[in-house]
Amino acid sequence: MDFDSRSPVVVLAGGTGGAKLARGMADVAGDDLVVIANTGDDVEMYGAYVAPDPDLVTFWLADRIDERGWGLAGDTFHVMDGLRELGVDIWFNLGDRDLAYGVRRAELLAGGTRLTDAIAELVAALGVAATVLPMADEPVRTSVLSEDRWIPFQEFMVRERAAPPIADVRYDGAADASVTPEAASALANARAIIVGPSNPVISIGPILAVPGMAEALRDAPAPVVGVSPIVGGQVVKGPTEPFLQWAGVSLDASGIASFYGDLLDGLVADEPLDALAIPTLRADTLLGDPDARRRVATEVLAFAEGLR
Ligand code: GDP
């Protein structure tokens, strides 16, 4: 197959590591960037349909992400204050603008709009040139089994602060979901497919659980390259460590490689990678500022394109 420079660069992402790499990739690939984002964390609350990972990716791409790592910079929280006044237990904070986006999305979905199109509306409204796709239009919901109780993901993550022991993970609805035409086309025509440095179990796992998604990655002519979410031997943010432990893989690049198995054609990480069976690139992968994000994206894309 002929790749041309206008083919999509696809990034699979959750809302933090993957989102930051996507922001760097937008500098490199411009409007060729297509992000396929996890929707296993989506939640309906306050009359809103909240899609945390697609929205965080969108806020990152629009340079509107708040410093705290979620929500919109400068957003206010008057509605949450009002609900608290009414005695509502607010464990999931949502800014006013963020809430407006979610309310509008709930309305669109109730009217029969696909999630893909509802997300595209916000992406366009925020002036983002890249494409942000949900992993599926059908609902898929991640939950965590802890001490005999299945805890919906946001409750586990936000209310319980990811503290409960992890006995199992499931992606409800995944079996009835399907790869969207937009995602299928992006993957089939991609010049590179990057599995972002996101939590493999709870951010990338649900994406790969969509029937046909793993096959679409394997069948894609483009190289599939992973970026390790472990920097300096540690997780930068979030509960990646207990989830990798649950998955039975080590907290290092070889653990990431074995988690993804034959899906990857190459792996990028900041540690020695000599023992791995796939081509590897050792690089400083901390995505802490715009220059670093651009540099890492440039290196990852060049490495992937060199694997063709
Ligand atoms: P979530 O949806 O908010 O859980 O976010 P992700 O799954 O996308 O991101 C969480 C992962 O991102 C963690 O495993 C972090 O180690 C990783 N991460 C965060 N910042 C960086 C970074 O600067 N570089 C790399 N390589 N990984 C990062």
Side-chain angles (χ1 to χ4, degrees):
M1 170 174 178
D2 274 345
F3 293 97
D4 65 54
S5 60
R6 299 293 309 166
S7 310
V9 174
V10 178
V11 176
L12 271 48
T16 303
K20 286 194 272 182
L21 181 67
R23 178 62 192 86
M25 200 58 83
D27 284 346
V28 182
D31 58 9
D32 291 343
L33 173 64
V34 177
V35 181
I36 299 178
N38 167 43
T39 55
D41 302 0
D42 288 11
V43 64
E44 281 146 284
M45 215 175 261
Y46 318 125
Y49 182 101
V50 188
D53 287 355
D55 288 354
L56 292 190
V57 167
T58 304
F59 300 167
W60 269 104
L61 293 177
D63 290 326
R64 297 273 303 269
I65 189 83
D66 190 87
E67 275 179 11
R68 71 176 96 80
W70 60 269
L72 281 157
D75 208 353
T76 53
F77 289 84
H78 299 305
V79 175
M80 297 299 114
D81 291 342
L83 289 170
R84 271 194 204 91
E85 240 165 29
L86 294 172
V88 178
D89 171 24
I90 302 294
W91 57 268
F92 189 86
N93 261 304
L94 204 55
D96 296 324
R97 266 203 154 67
D98 222 344
L99 179 62
Y101 301 159
V103 168
R104 163 70 178 166
R105 184 173 299 149
E107 201 172 72
L108 287 173
L109 294 174
T113 301
R114 293 190 308 142
L115 185 58
T116 296
D117 295 324
I119 286 171
E121 182 190 70
L122 177 63
V123 173
L126 296 194
V128 171
T131 302
V132 181
L133 300 174
M135 66 194 198
D137 285 323
E138 302 83 359
V140 178
R141 296 291 175 267
T142 302
S143 58
V144 178
L145 180 67
S146 191
E147 288 161 350
D148 298 329
R149 187 168 82 91
W150 283 102
I151 310 176
F153 187 73
Q154 290 303 339
E155 212 180 306
F156 174 84
M157 190 70 190
V158 180
R159 186 179 229 164
E160 309 280 354
R161 295 175 196 280
I166 301 157
D168 205 354
V169 176
R170 72 180 186 201
Y171 313 120
D172 287 320
D176 299 320
S178 50
V179 178
T180 64
E182 290 84 354
S185 159
L187 290 167
N189 295 307
R191 70 180 125 127
I193 300 169
I194 314 299
V195 178
S198 288
N199 186 318
V201 177
I202 55 171
S203 292
I204 306 296
I207 302 178
L208 299 177
V210 174
M213 188 67 81
E215 290 73 11
L217 261 71
R218 280 196 195 93
D219 293 349
V224 180
V225 165
V227 180
S228 172
I230 296 152
V231 182
Q234 293 189 327
V235 169
V236 182
K237 189 176 172 236
T240 296
E241 184 168 359
F243 280 103
L244 287 180
Q245 209 166 37
W246 167 77
V249 302
S250 54
L251 188 78
D252 54 18
S254 73
I256 301 300
S258 71
F259 182 87
Y260 291 123
D262 68 353
L263 273 186
L264 296 186
D265 299 311
L267 182 69
V268 180
D270 72 343
E271 53 189 286
L273 298 157
D274 312 335
L276 296 191
I278 49 171
T280 57
L281 174 72
R282 191 173 173 178
D284 174 2
T285 58
L286 197 58
L287 301 157
D289 61 60
D291 287 345
R293 290 190 278 276
R294 193 176 312 119
R295 178 188 50 74
V296 175
T298 304
E299 290 178 10
V300 168
L301 186 57
F303 171 63
E305 294 190 313
L307 296 178
R308 271 183 209 164

